[in-house]
Amino acid sequence: MSEVPGASTVRPEHSWPVASLERYLATSPALQADFAEVKIISVLQFKGGQSNPTFYLKTSLGQELVLRKKPPGKLLATAHAIEREYVILQALSKTEVPVPLPVVFCEDSSVIGTPFYIMQYIRGRVFRDTHLPDLSQHERKQVYLAMAEVLAKLHSVDHVKVGLQGFGNPDGFFERQISRWTRQYKAAKIEDIEPMERLSVWLPQHIPNSSGSSIVHGDFRIDNLVFHPSEPRVIAVLDWELCTIGHPLADVAYSCLHYNMPTLPPPLSTMSGFGRQGPSELGIPTQLEYVEHYCRCRGIERQTNLSFYTAFGLFRLASILVGVYRRGVEGNASSDNAKRMGSFAELLATKAMRIATDGSTIPLWMSLFPFSAKSKALYAEVSTFMRDHVIPAEQVIHAHDNSELRWTVHPLIEQLKLKAKEAGLWNLFLPSSHGAGLTNLDYAPLCELMGHSLIAPEIFNCNAPDTGNMEVLEKYGTADQKATWLAPLLRGEIRSAFAMTEPGVASSDATNISTSIIKDGDSYIVTGRKWWTTGAGHPNCRLFIVMGKSSSSGPIHRRQSMILVPRDAPGVSVVRPLKTFGYDDAPYGHCEVLFENVRVPATNILLGEGRGFEIAQGRLGPGRIHHCMRLIGLSERSLALMVHRIQSRSTFGKKISEHGKIMKDVALSRTEIDQARLLTLQAAHAMDSVGNQLARDQIAAIKIVAPRVACRVVDRAIQAFGAAGMSEDFFLARAYAGARSLRLADGPDEVHEQTLAKIEYSKHLQSKI
């Protein structure tokens, strides 16, 4: 007999009469032709089968079979439905979904003690370790993609056409499933498991309003698949006990559970997570890449938020483990590890509750505007990423930014950028195929989240001025300009700067800008001095978009042009980094830059001569939404820091939080933040609905309001912190410097007030009182 992986001697408590099975096979009318004179010469038990004992059989004719039976003893009413396994195997054997060929089902318990069925044994590879340690990186990727492909095939089967119309009710799938596993948990539990109790209440209240039904495997994971002996191809899907008709994303999320797991010891090592070594380092697709491949194979829209489905999968698995533990205590479980299994139920339930609540942190105000499901899903993902990765990194980056190495990029930033890219949280600001495809309104809440940390925007490749520059290149750039500059910016490989403000003129009136852009044959010569050029100090800055005067005649708003100037072009020099309230914002910097007879190809002009104002207006609308929403995020964090501080300290015999003036400051901060947010979201919605030109009054309004609100909120927080609020030890001093600078950046308050006033004049003068 050849070796049978994963099988060993039958455990005494699971033995059954082999001779009785031989008689049954020999006398069954449907089987006599194949088994009349056959003897079973080998019986082994597979290590798995926590639910239903599973055995390898070899006959005297060399036939290799698998027998699955219900376990002995008292069983829960809804568990161990091997008859359903047999039905699904029969139905799918006629489709492209690879399954073992079913042989016979017997419900007569007198044969071997419990009902059973027999199917074909498939020789191949079964991977018990999600890390696939014995494969190359290329093979690992192919195995995971094959797994996604076969799941997509299963979900593409029309269950009615294969005779499974009565196999399950597609309506109310999650309601029934949650009820079933809650009942099973309560019937099996020996004592209450607090997170399981919470999940049994939370899950029914948060079922997604999404349609779609298919055949659902119910336990789809890598160790329930048989792969070809030498090819990365699934040749059999096993263990169909939990199969029904339901929501396909339940299967997708369950197949991804190990992405959300900690590193686990046996017997759960088959679902162990990747720990600190991410999947990409192993050559394994990230969860996002795996799910995207599944969606492509099915031809459906990309799925970005599996939080509910993942929490449900963990809840169900924990419920199963509680049942396994109960059977272990009673002595009739099918695995020696049963008693250990129960100890993991609380671990999984706790993880599920965390994922559930992370995925449901959609704020109330998101119900007031028509945010897409994609925006809400990304909000949950960005929120979790900020909490788990960005905020914890701040201390390390802050120390680096105050060291002699502050004009270099800390390696942790690049590591977090890679993590964000792998998670699909990259270029979220771009509405095109290069980004997440979000509207201004959809992107606004994500931008607010990024505003909670000064290091967050770069990590998501959503940092100014690169966002505006990328939008300019995408909208106005030529194919060559996009290939040279936009592509590496989108990949986060380089950074850029926008050179507009000048020290020699009042640059709030952009018609004053005097930097010259003069045509000279097949080149332009750029000469002038700029300052407050954000990003010019960054070691990866490779490009300046320069606004200057290309003509001294003609319409006043047709005299300015924009041109692309490489950072390393002869004649470009960074004179100095300027400081804002003492901060130089290394490694980005707001620099004074000198352009001395800088010659660049004529093909570097953007859109054409005299189109500078046109480009600027197209650039500034979305950018102002981004600035304002980041300021709201900054205000929210400042308020949160303030509240925590005043609750922890006392003055004059009571907590600081109990003083009336402080309570007023907190209340005013809350109302002002909410007002600013609603005004900004209204502007974003108007831009999406009627365009930037017709929404210019609302854009002007938010640029007036948001920086002032942020300044007031941060100032109150500094006052509550006392002297500590002005120090480098906390977020607030730098936050105030950033908020105050935005009352000047992208145009001073007075310009926006003037714009809004003129629109208001026009509106009222055209109407009668």
Side-chain angles (χ1 to χ4, degrees):
M1 183 192 75
S2 60
E3 182 184 355
V4 180
S8 59
T9 305
V10 176
R11 291 187 287 277
E13 67 271 22
H14 291 143
S15 62
W16 42 267
V18 175
S20 180
L21 178 62
E22 290 174 339
R23 286 194 298 273
Y24 172 78
L25 295 175
T27 57
S28 176
L31 301 173
Q32 282 180 334
D34 294 322
F35 295 98
E37 301 296 330
V38 165
K39 294 294 182 182
I40 298 173
I41 62 173
S42 178
V43 180
L44 300 172
Q45 184 169 4
F46 288 102
K47 293 178 183 177
Q50 291 291 341
S51 181
N52 295 313
T54 306
F55 305 87
Y56 168 84
L57 311 179
K58 187 170 185 179
T59 72
S60 53
L61 296 179
Q63 297 153 310
E64 292 185 292
L65 305 169
V66 172
L67 181 147
R68 273 172 70 81
K69 67 187 292 291
K70 292 190 177 186
K74 184 180 179 180
L75 305 178
L76 297 172
T78 58
H80 315 287
I82 62 168
E83 60 277 9
R84 291 176 63 82
E85 290 188 45
Y86 192 75
V87 170
I88 193 70
L89 288 175
Q90 283 185 309
L92 292 178
S93 63
K94 306 165 189 174
T95 72
E96 292 184 357
V97 180
V99 295
L101 185 67
V103 177
V104 68
F105 172 74
C106 176
E107 58 184 348
D108 184 356
S109 296
S110 67
V111 179
I112 62 170
T114 65
F116 67 91
Y117 75 89
I118 297 174
M119 60 182 165
Q120 172 192 21
Y121 173 70
I122 304 292
R123 282 200 170 273
R125 296 176 294 170
V126 177
F127 300 112
R128 306 288 180 187
D129 188 333
T130 55
H131 297 65
L132 306 178
D134 297 328
L135 301 185
S136 68
Q137 288 202 353
H138 174 73
E139 289 172 320
R140 290 170 189 159
K141 178 179 180 180
Q142 297 307 310
V143 162
Y144 269 80
L145 295 182
M147 181 177 169
E149 289 162 11
V150 79
L151 185 59
K153 284 183 180 179
L154 171 64
H155 293 163
S156 299
V157 171
D158 187 326
H159 69 278
V160 175
K161 288 184 178 179
V162 296
L164 295 174
Q165 56 268 32
F167 197 68
N169 181 0
D171 298 324
F173 168 72
F174 282 114
E175 289 85 349
R176 291 194 311 277
Q177 286 286 307
I178 294 165
S179 175
R180 172 189 176 181
W181 294 108
T182 298
R183 290 195 308 272
Q184 183 155 320
Y185 155 68
K186 291 184 181 298
K189 69 178 181 178
I190 294 175
E191 59 184 6
D192 285 352
I193 299 174
E194 192 271 338
M196 288 292 286
E197 301 291 332
R198 290 175 61 200
L199 279 168
S200 66
V201 174
W202 186 91
L203 286 167
Q205 297 173 349
H206 292 83
I207 297 172
N209 183 24
S210 59
S211 58
S213 63
S214 69
I215 299 172
V216 172
H217 180 276
D219 195 16
F220 194 90
R221 59 180 197 252
I222 199 164
D223 59 318
N224 276 333
L225 305 178
V226 181
F227 284 81
H228 187 276
S230 59
E231 301 173 13
R233 175 166 56 88
V234 178
I235 56 176
V237 182
L238 309 177
D239 203 351
W240 294 87
E241 178 193 352
L242 300 177
C243 183
T244 187
I245 306 301
H247 201 295
L249 290 184
D251 262 353
V252 175
Y254 194 80
S255 71
C256 293
L257 282 191
H258 59 286
Y259 284 99
N260 301 280
M261 293 281 202
T263 302
L264 298 171
L268 287 180
S269 55
T270 55
M271 300 186 73
S272 186
F274 297 107
R276 293 190 176 185
Q277 187 178 30
S280 296
E281 294 179 41
L282 299 171
I284 293 171
T286 63
Q287 177 173 329
L288 179 69
E289 291 167 339
Y290 171 85
V291 175
E292 284 186 337
H293 188 66
Y294 162 85
C295 293
R296 282 194 297 272
C297 291
R298 283 201 67 200
I300 63 173
E301 184 180 350
R302 174 177 178 253
Q303 304 296 315
T304 58
N305 185 13
L306 298 178
S307 296
F308 170 85
Y309 309 103
T310 303
F312 165 72
L314 287 168
F315 172 73
R316 190 189 66 181
L317 180 57
S319 180
I320 291 171
L321 295 186
V322 172
V324 172
Y325 175 68
R326 180 64 176 259
R327 293 199 305 279
V329 171
E330 294 174 349
N332 64 347
S334 61
S335 169
D336 292 333
N337 288 315
K339 290 184 180 180
R340 297 183 62 198
M341 282 291 199
S343 64
F344 294 114
E346 184 170 4
L347 172 68
L348 298 186
T350 301
K351 179 70 174 176
M353 198 66 232
R354 180 178 176 184
I355 290 173
T357 53
D358 283 348
S360 66
T361 54
I362 304 303
L364 177 63
W365 50 263
M366 286 193 77
S367 65
L368 304 179
F369 290 87
F371 292 101
S372 67
K374 187 175 187 179
S375 175
K376 293 176 181 178
L378 285 169
Y379 185 93
E381 292 181 41
V382 171
S383 179
T384 300
F385 195 97
M386 289 286 296
R387 184 203 65 209
D388 291 349
H389 302 294
V390 178
I391 301 300
E394 286 184 328
Q395 281 191 318
V396 173
I397 302 304
H398 179 67
H400 176 81
D401 290 350
N402 285 280
S403 73
E404 293 180 355
L405 298 174
R406 67 185 186 278
W407 292 102
T408 65
V409 179
H410 194 285
L412 183 55
I413 291 289
E414 295 303 322
Q415 293 167 19
L416 291 176
K417 285 168 66 175
L418 180 60
K419 280 184 180 290
K421 188 182 291 187
E422 288 177 346
L425 306 176
W426 192 255
N427 293 333
L428 298 172
F429 69 97
L430 274 176
S432 68
S433 59
H434 291 306
L438 301 175
T439 62
N440 286 297
L441 179 66
D442 279 340
Y443 176 59
L446 312 184
C447 210
E448 177 180 332
L449 288 173
M450 295 177 208
H452 282 246
S453 174
L454 301 177
I455 68 172
E458 181 176 11
I459 289 168
F460 298 102
N461 212 38
C462 294
N463 44 285
D466 291 332
T467 48
N469 291 345
M470 283 189 265
E471 287 172 331
V472 164
L473 287 165
E474 184 182 51
K475 190 172 183 179
Y476 305 111
T478 65
D480 286 344
Q481 290 168 351
K482 290 177 182 179
T484 304
W485 302 113
L486 177 60
L489 280 167
L490 288 169
R491 293 192 295 267
E493 296 170 354
I494 66 171
R495 293 207 54 172
S496 61
F498 185 70
M500 183 171 178
T501 304
E502 298 179 3
V505 298
S507 302
S508 57
D509 179 356
T511 62
N512 287 335
I513 287 174
S514 61
T515 293
S516 63
I517 302 175
I518 305 301
K519 185 75 178 291
D520 183 32
D522 58 358
S523 302
Y524 281 96
I525 298 174
V526 181
T527 302
R529 186 181 295 268
K530 300 286 187 179
W531 70 345
W532 298 109
T533 306
T534 299
H538 198 283
N540 296 332
C541 181
R542 298 289 183 271
L543 172 69
F544 291 99
I545 296 183
V546 180
M547 185 161 177
K549 185 171 288 186
S550 54
S551 174
S552 57
S553 61
I556 194 168
H557 290 105
R558 293 283 293 179
R559 298 176 185 178
Q560 307 286 343
S561 299
M562 287 194 190
I563 195 163
L564 305 177
V565 178
R567 169 67 180 81
D568 59 1
V572 177
S573 58
V574 174
V575 178
R576 57 173 175 149
L578 299 162
K579 292 185 178 181
T580 306
F581 296 111
Y583 293 104
D584 58 18
D585 282 347
Y588 313 104
H590 311 286
C591 299
E592 183 176 349
V593 183
L594 185 61
F595 298 88
E596 297 180 283
N597 297 314
V598 180
R599 183 178 293 273
V600 296
T603 52
N604 282 22
I605 201 79
L606 277 167
L607 197 59
E609 284 191 25
R611 310 290 290 275
F613 273 94
E614 179 183 344
I615 297 170
Q617 290 307 306
R619 181 185 190 276
L620 288 177
R624 285 171 181 158
I625 292 287
H626 303 171
H627 275 316
C628 291
M629 288 305 289
R630 278 194 293 267
L631 283 171
I632 291 164
L634 178 145
S635 302
E636 285 284 12
R637 187 171 183 194
S638 299
L639 178 57
L641 289 170
M642 176 184 179
V643 169
H644 282 286
R645 180 79 169 189
I646 61 179
Q647 293 283 358
S648 66
R649 298 205 165 200
S650 299
T651 59
F652 306 105
K654 58 183 176 181
K655 286 185 177 180
I656 297 177
S657 61
E658 295 172 357
H659 290 281
K661 173 63 169 65
I662 291 293
M663 296 175 77
K664 178 182 177 182
D665 284 350
V666 170
L668 286 176
S669 296
R670 168 47 54 212
T671 57
E672 290 173 358
I673 291 171
D674 287 351
Q675 289 167 349
R677 177 188 291 113
L678 293 175
L679 188 62
T680 306
L681 294 177
Q682 177 179 283
H685 187 40
M687 289 167 64
D688 294 333
S689 303
V690 300
N692 294 7
Q693 181 64 20
L694 292 179
R696 67 190 187 281
D697 56 338
Q698 309 220 23
I699 297 171
I702 63 170
K703 192 58 175 61
I704 296 166
V705 169
R708 293 184 182 190
V709 165
C711 284
R712 288 196 295 269
V713 172
V714 178
D715 184 64
R716 291 176 189 133
I718 289 173
Q719 199 70 16
F721 266 70
M726 299 185 294
S727 74
E728 275 290 282
D729 293 355
F730 296 95
F731 167 82
L732 298 172
R734 183 167 292 199
Y736 184 84
R740 184 61 183 84
S741 69
L742 283 170
R743 290 190 59 193
L744 291 165
D746 281 351
D749 288 358
E750 291 77 7
V751 170
H752 301 295
E753 289 166 352
Q754 184 180 67
T755 298
L756 186 56
K758 286 180 178 178
I759 294 171
E760 199 69 11
Y761 291 165
S762 175
K763 187 193 322 180
H764 288 293
L765 290 174
Q766 291 175 9
S767 62
K768 293 183 179 180
I769 298 177

